[in-house]
Amino acid sequence: MYIKSYRTDRFAGIKDMELDFINGLNIILGPNESGKSTIINGMYSALFKDINIKKNNNKDIEFSYKFMPRSEGDTIDSSLVLATKEGDYSIKRQWGEDKSVKLRTPEDNILRSSKGVKEALNEILVFGETTYSNIVFAKQEDLNSVLQNILEDSSFKREIGDLLRRALMELDGVSVEKIEEGIDEELDSIYGRWDIEKGYPQNNRGVHKPYVNGLGSVIQSYYKKEELKIKMDKANRSEKDFEDISNELSKIEDLRLEYLSEKDKLEALEEDINKRSILELQIETLDKNLEELMDIVKKWPNMEDEIELLEREKSELEEEKLNLEQEKTNLLKLDKKIELENKLREIEKAYKEIEGFEEKLKEIPNIEIEDIGELENLDMKIKTSQVSLNAGELVASLNRKDIPISISRDFGDIEEFNYGEIIKAENSIKVIGEEFEFEIKIGERDFEKIHLEMKKLKEKFRETLKNLNIVNLEEGKINREKIESHNREINYLQEDIKRLLGEDDLGNIKSELKELEEIKIEKSEEELNRELEDIKEKEIRIISQKNLKRSRLKEWIEKYEDFESVFSIVGENSFNVKSKKSELKKLKSLPKEFESVEEFKERLSFLKGELDRLQGEVKYLNEKYYEMKNELLDETYEELKLQSIDFESEFQRYLNRGEKLLRIKEEFQKTKNRMISNPLEPLIKEFSEILAVITEGKYSTPNIEDTFEINLENNGEIIPFDLLSAGTYDSVSLALRFALLKYLYDGEDGFLILDDPLVDLDPRRKQEAISLIKEFSKDYQVIFTTCSPETAKKLGGKLIEL
């Protein structure tokens, strides 16, 4: 298995990048800060980083801080293609607002759930996440702690678990018993009074009823953060209440000042506005009276003429109404005409059909029911005679050629009878020769008599058919059925004619139709009814208008006596309007925001009432303001919130530390029982050989039998790791990684990520390390990052420049 390609649209500082790798040595060359380590982190995240980033998880917080963009966008992504024996696996993850995960298998199946993708990757990958993190992906920022991580991390996959856990327990010669004792003491100091299964203080004694003695780090930090939460809630409420009351007081004071300023402006206009109101009302009344008077002046002279015109219109409508009603009467007669036409049409059709049936009767030979009976009787007798004649069968043949004979069968004509011929007869055969004649019959019956009688019967039968002008009995029956059927139809039609005529006769119907032919109808009943309804509405309107005009004329006469008096009143009102409008111009105008004086007065009244009410509210809110101010805590909510982040982080650190110790203790107990044998001899040997090469033989490892206490030996002297130089430390780390991977991959395909691990090596060690890397890349894929063109040139392989 190896990494075939990596791409991203955005991950930390890199954008729109796509890299292809070979199954061998790949060199990523680029200057410092060009994104080499970010690429390694992107590939690692594509395989292992869950898309759900939690805000209370330190690793997730660190991930977001390092790789999420600060100002450009809200989503990052990484895609990886893994080449395996089964085919290519494509994995893509997105983090942030648009989070997603997608894994495509060689069979083109697609997985999108985090759980399903994780399970599939567990089957594909050789080791677990921790092993890949510490051995395969040792990123540049972790190089100085690679060896320590390898020796101390206890969650590697089973295939190297024993090795790394032994290294943890026996490092620096510390005894197993002391380690176990130290783990238990540390667990007690962390989990004292804490229920690990429930994740809560024992016996549910929370912050409101806390323990005092025997407290571990977890419960102490829990009480601290929960007490701080209570304090934060109180601070938040008091600050919010104080802020609300301050804002409310400020808004009300601003509104009061705004209302006061508006009230003063309106009061300065109030007197003129009141006078204006009175004058405008008077002018409005005069204008209204003038409008009415001018309308009277305009309409009075024509009122009598209009009333007379309405009278004429009414007379014309009455005449039109009579004509329409006559048309409606004719329409009823037209219905009678249509009824008679339909009846006459049906009667004539019936007569025509009768004629048709009578014509058909003429074409059929006349045959009575008695004739059919006679034919059936003759037919029965013929069939009876035939049955008698058919009671048996005679068969004859001529067996000699030299005897010429003739025959007559069933009393028929004489015919020649040839040699070899077979002749059949129903009741008699007569044989005739030159010197003899004999007859053969069946039984004692007189077949000849029966035959003669049957012949007479057939002759009579044929004569009867001829007389009746038919071919056979069946035709006679058919003709008789046709005759009866046609006669029935004629009777039915005659009954229909009687029903249609009733008490009337055909002549009267035709005469009545002739009289109705002169009626002409141009409109339908619906049109006539609609026009009559329109006339009725017009009549109502005309009468209403006529009465209204008469009533109005009478009203004008009673009020003004005559037309000349109206003119006089119009003049007086016009003068008064001009006078009052002149007086109105001297007054201050109504502000534009008011459409009427009433609206002005309502606004002024509203302002006075609101100012009284707001004054009372200001007094009340001032009292509340000082009351809320006294309730504020010494520390603000934001200050407490910052503390809560630290407290929560501290709580999580203790929990994580406790969980790690629990896993260590669990693995420790398992390991204790398996420490008798030493299955890691090949790994230790591989590590020793690589270490000797990369340190030019200066360092080696002692002969290890059943522990993995890693100490280096130089000229017979044991050198602890913490005394190694940076270059030697990196060389040992690199050697251990190579050894572990060769041990773990065990001849199968695999890959190794090396993030610039040769920086601190001297030239000779660097050359040895380069040789090891090139040798390692013959069997496994290596992705090597460096900022040194010289190193890239010495390594060779596929060069990828950033």
Side-chain angles (χ1 to χ4, degrees):
M1 175 179 62
Y2 67 93
I3 298 174
K4 195 170 184 179
S5 65
Y6 170 76
R7 79 171 308 277
T8 180
D9 294 326
R10 178 67 186 266
F11 190 84
I14 57 177
K15 298 180 184 177
D16 302 321
M17 177 174 285
E18 186 165 0
L19 304 177
D20 294 321
F21 303 106
I22 62 172
N23 187 12
L25 182 56
N26 301 267
I27 309 300
I28 299 176
L29 174 63
N32 288 331
E33 306 302 326
S34 61
K36 301 188 297 297
S37 295
T38 303
I39 293 169
I40 303 305
N41 280 297
M43 291 193 289
Y44 179 82
S45 299
L47 288 173
F48 299 110
K49 184 61 185 172
D50 192 275
I51 61 173
N52 296 304
I53 300 176
K54 300 176 182 177
K55 294 182 179 179
N56 60 352
N57 182 284
N58 289 338
K59 289 185 178 179
D60 287 348
I61 293 170
E62 183 181 3
F63 178 81
S64 296
Y65 179 78
K66 283 185 177 180
F67 305 121
M68 288 297 288
R70 296 291 180 270
S71 59
E72 301 177 29
D74 55 13
T75 301
I76 58 175
D77 68 279
S78 280
S79 301
L80 204 66
V81 176
L82 286 175
T84 70
K85 290 179 180 178
E86 294 78 23
D88 290 349
Y89 287 85
S90 175
I91 171 76
K92 179 177 181 180
R93 295 183 195 263
Q94 286 190 177
W95 302 269
E97 290 299 316
D98 188 15
K99 61 184 179 180
S100 65
V101 61
K102 176 182 176 183
L103 175 67
R104 184 186 295 274
T105 69
E107 297 79 22
D108 232 19
N109 297 325
I110 295 177
L111 304 176
R112 295 185 185 273
S113 74
S114 293
K115 183 180 178 182
V117 170
K118 186 175 182 180
E119 291 174 352
L121 285 174
N122 285 341
E123 295 181 6
I124 300 167
L125 298 173
V126 181
F127 328 117
E129 179 183 354
T130 308
T131 302
Y132 276 97
S133 176
N134 289 323
I135 304 297
V136 181
F137 285 90
K139 297 169 280 296
Q140 191 175 42
E141 63 266 26
D142 299 328
L143 285 178
N144 292 333
S145 57
V146 166
L147 190 56
Q148 183 180 350
N149 290 342
I150 292 172
L151 297 177
E152 291 185 355
D153 198 315
S154 60
S155 57
F156 288 155
K157 299 289 281 187
R158 181 176 298 277
E159 58 266 33
I160 63 167
D162 289 349
L163 167 66
L164 299 182
R165 282 190 289 274
R166 277 205 186 106
L168 173 66
M169 291 187 297
E170 299 301 332
L171 191 63
D172 292 331
V174 180
S175 69
V176 173
E177 289 74 15
K178 287 186 178 180
I179 292 174
E180 185 172 15
E181 182 181 343
I183 291 172
D184 289 339
E185 289 177 358
E186 183 68 16
L187 283 172
D188 188 54
S189 70
I190 291 174
Y191 284 120
R193 297 293 190 182
W194 185 259
D195 191 324
I196 297 173
E197 291 185 3
K198 292 183 178 179
Y200 199 73
Q202 292 175 356
N203 301 317
N204 293 323
R205 292 184 64 170
V207 70
H208 297 292
K209 191 181 178 182
Y211 286 108
V212 178
N213 299 316
L215 305 182
S217 303
V218 171
I219 197 169
Q220 289 183 55
S221 63
Y222 174 79
Y223 283 157
K224 281 170 62 179
K225 75 182 186 70
E226 291 302 310
E227 287 169 357
L228 188 62
K229 280 184 181 178
I230 295 171
K231 193 174 181 181
M232 284 172 62
D233 288 341
K234 185 178 180 181
N236 191 35
R237 286 196 303 272
S238 61
E239 288 175 16
K240 187 178 184 304
D241 292 343
F242 182 73
E243 184 181 359
D244 290 345
I245 202 75
S246 299
N247 291 336
E248 185 67 18
L249 185 59
S250 177
K251 282 194 285 187
I252 289 178
E253 182 60 27
D254 290 344
L255 185 61
R256 191 186 73 81
L257 292 174
E258 181 185 339
Y259 282 178
L260 183 61
S261 174
E262 187 180 357
K263 178 183 81 73
D264 292 342
K265 290 179 182 177
L266 295 183
E267 283 180 340
L269 301 172
E270 188 175 11
E271 184 178 352
D272 277 13
I273 296 302
N274 287 334
K275 289 180 181 179
R276 177 177 288 276
S277 174
I278 295 169
L279 285 172
E280 285 179 345
L281 182 61
Q282 291 173 346
I283 292 170
E284 182 182 355
T285 303
L286 288 170
D287 282 339
K288 187 175 180 182
N289 289 337
L290 272 172
E291 186 179 351
E292 291 178 358
L293 289 168
M294 292 304 294
D295 187 61
I296 292 171
V297 168
K298 181 180 177 182
K299 293 179 179 178
W300 194 324
N302 300 322
M303 190 67 76
E304 290 291 346
D305 293 338
E306 289 175 1
I307 292 171
E308 186 179 348
L309 181 62
L310 289 170
E311 286 286 354
R312 286 201 299 272
E313 285 183 20
K314 186 173 180 300
S315 299
E316 290 172 359
L317 286 174
E318 288 176 352
E319 184 177 350
E320 186 178 352
K321 182 178 178 182
L322 289 174
N323 292 334
L324 290 172
E325 287 176 348
Q326 181 59 47
E327 280 194 57
K328 195 170 180 181
T329 302
N330 290 341
L331 192 62
L332 295 175
K333 291 182 180 180
L334 181 63
D335 291 342
K336 178 65 174 176
K337 175 187 173 186
I338 293 170
E339 180 187 346
L340 291 174
E341 285 176 344
N342 290 336
K343 184 183 289 188
L344 182 61
R345 194 178 297 111
E346 288 185 38
I347 291 171
E348 289 176 346
K349 180 182 177 184
Y351 275 126
K352 188 172 182 180
E353 289 180 1
I354 288 171
E355 288 177 5
F357 283 120
E358 287 176 347
E359 287 297 322
K360 290 178 181 180
L361 285 171
K362 290 177 182 179
E363 294 173 0
I364 301 170
N366 187 31
I367 183 168
E368 300 295 338
I369 190 67
E370 293 81 2
D371 299 327
I372 296 298
E374 182 181 355
L375 286 170
E376 287 177 340
N377 185 41
L378 288 170
D379 185 60
M380 181 60 71
K381 289 180 179 180
I382 291 169
K383 288 178 179 177
T384 302
S385 300
Q386 187 68 44
V387 169
S388 298
L389 290 172
N390 293 340
E393 184 180 38
L394 296 175
V395 179
S397 63
L398 181 62
N399 296 326
R400 288 183 59 184
K401 295 182 179 180
D402 56 346
I403 303 177
I405 58 173
S406 300
I407 65 166
S408 172
R409 50 184 168 183
D410 296 331
F411 312 108
D413 297 334
I414 295 172
E415 55 185 298
E416 289 185 1
F417 191 27
N418 300 317
Y419 171 75
E421 183 182 357
I422 296 174
I423 188 167
K424 297 180 181 180
E426 293 177 350
N427 42 59
S428 69
I429 296 176
K430 183 183 287 185
V431 182
I432 305 168
E434 293 180 358
E435 300 179 357
F436 64 90
E437 179 179 329
F438 64 90
E439 185 176 7
I440 302 171
K441 295 181 180 180
I442 296 175
E444 296 297 325
R445 294 181 186 174
D446 190 349
F447 286 103
E448 186 174 2
K449 182 179 179 183
I450 294 171
H451 183 75
L452 289 173
E453 287 177 356
M454 186 177 71
K455 189 175 181 181
K456 290 178 181 178
L457 288 170
K458 285 184 177 182
E459 184 63 31
K460 186 176 182 181
F461 186 81
R462 283 194 296 272
E463 187 67 26
T464 304
L465 291 174
K466 184 177 179 182
N467 292 337
L468 293 173
N469 196 22
I470 58 177
V471 175
N472 50 41
L473 175 60
E474 188 61 32
E475 184 183 349
K477 289 181 179 180
I478 291 170
N479 287 345
R480 183 60 204 169
E481 287 177 2
K482 287 181 180 179
I483 291 168
E484 290 178 353
S485 174
H486 293 343
N487 284 329
R488 279 196 302 273
E489 292 296 330
I490 290 170
N491 290 334
Y492 293 152
L493 290 168
Q494 288 173 343
E495 289 297 321
D496 284 345
I497 291 170
K498 288 181 183 180
R499 176 181 56 77
L500 290 168
L501 287 172
E503 299 297 326
D504 211 341
D505 61 44
L506 193 60
N508 289 338
I509 291 172
K510 290 182 178 180
S511 298
E512 191 173 355
L513 268 175
K514 191 173 182 181
E515 292 175 3
L516 294 174
E517 286 294 334
E518 299 175 0
I519 296 174
K520 302 294 181 182
I521 301 299
E522 296 179 356
K523 298 177 183 178
S524 66
E525 184 178 4
E526 183 180 350
E527 290 175 323
L528 292 172
N529 287 335
R530 187 167 57 249
E531 289 184 17
L532 284 169
E533 190 64 31
D534 289 344
I535 289 173
K536 183 178 179 181
E537 290 177 2
K538 288 178 183 178
E539 284 180 334
I540 293 171
R541 178 176 53 79
I542 288 170
I543 292 170
S544 174
Q545 289 179 352
K546 186 176 69 173
N547 291 338
L548 179 64
K549 289 179 185 296
R550 282 178 175 171
S551 174
R552 190 171 296 173
L553 187 60
K554 182 181 178 183
E555 181 184 332
W556 293 344
I557 293 171
E558 288 175 354
K559 189 173 182 179
Y560 304 109
E561 293 185 3
D562 54 29
F563 184 67
E564 287 74 17
S565 298
V566 177
F567 265 114
S568 176
I569 295 171
V570 168
E572 292 175 6
N573 285 354
S574 297
F575 176 78
N576 289 334
V577 168
K578 289 179 182 179
S579 175
K580 291 185 182 299
K581 284 184 177 179
S582 177
E583 186 178 352
L584 190 64
K585 288 180 180 178
K586 299 174 184 178
L587 299 174
K588 293 178 181 177
S589 300
L590 184 71
K592 292 180 180 179
E593 62 264 27
F594 300 106
E595 294 184 359
S596 65
V597 174
E598 288 74 18
E599 190 176 333
F600 174 88
K601 290 180 178 180
E602 287 175 4
R603 180 63 180 173
L604 185 57
S605 175
F606 167 78
L607 292 172
K608 291 176 180 179
E610 283 295 293
L611 283 168
D612 290 340
R613 182 185 65 79
L614 290 174
Q615 188 61 39
E617 283 197 29
V618 168
K619 182 179 178 182
Y620 168 77
L621 289 172
N622 272 325
E623 293 173 358
K624 294 292 290 182
Y625 174 84
Y626 290 108
E627 181 183 335
M628 296 293 180
K629 188 175 182 180
N630 292 331
E631 290 182 4
L632 292 174
L633 302 182
D634 294 335
E635 294 176 292
T636 66
Y637 172 78
E638 290 299 326
E639 291 171 341
L640 294 172
K641 188 176 180 181
L642 290 175
Q643 291 182 39
S644 74
I645 294 173
D646 293 336
F647 285 8
E648 185 66 40
S649 178
E650 180 186 74
F651 177 69
Q652 289 299 327
R653 282 200 305 275
Y654 285 129
L655 283 179
N656 293 338
R657 186 176 177 185
E659 289 173 3
K660 185 175 181 180
L661 279 172
L662 287 172
R663 290 197 300 271
I664 289 172
K665 183 174 181 179
E666 181 183 355
E667 295 302 325
F668 180 85
Q669 295 298 332
K670 294 178 183 177
T671 304
K672 278 178 62 177
N673 300 324
R674 295 198 302 268
M675 289 180 61
I676 298 172
S677 62
N678 183 17
L680 303 176
E681 191 68 34
L683 173 63
I684 297 167
K685 182 180 178 183
E686 185 72 37
F687 173 58
S688 299
E689 292 176 357
I690 296 174
L691 182 63
V693 172
I694 202 168
T695 62
E696 297 180 308
K698 290 183 179 181
Y699 293 92
S700 62
T701 56
N703 183 26
I704 301 172
E705 295 181 358
D706 58 353
T707 65
F708 195 69
E709 184 184 69
I710 301 178
N711 287 313
L712 299 183
E713 186 177 278
N714 185 0
N715 296 324
E717 183 182 353
I718 300 299
I719 307 298
F721 285 114
D722 54 4
L723 296 181
L724 297 174
S725 65
T728 303
Y729 186 93
D730 289 348
S731 297
V732 173
S733 297
L734 190 60
L736 183 57
R737 290 175 71 189
F738 280 159
L740 284 169
L741 287 176
K742 284 188 175 183
Y743 179 73
L744 294 174
Y745 285 141
D746 194 23
E748 296 293 329
D749 286 341
F751 60 90
L752 171 63
I753 311 296
L754 295 173
D755 192 8
D756 219 355
L758 310 181
V759 174
D760 294 324
L761 300 186
D762 58 50
R764 284 182 301 172
R765 286 184 180 174
K766 181 181 287 189
Q767 186 58 49
E768 293 297 335
I770 288 172
S771 298
L772 281 173
I773 292 168
K774 292 171 74 173
E775 188 65 28
F776 187 83
S777 67
K778 292 178 181 179
D779 298 319
Y780 309 103
Q781 182 189 48
V782 175
I783 298 175
F784 186 99
T785 72
T786 182
C787 61
S788 170
E790 182 184 353
T791 302
K793 184 178 180 180
K794 288 180 179 180
L795 282 166
K798 178 177 180 178
L799 181 64
I800 301 169
E801 294 188 71
L802 300 182

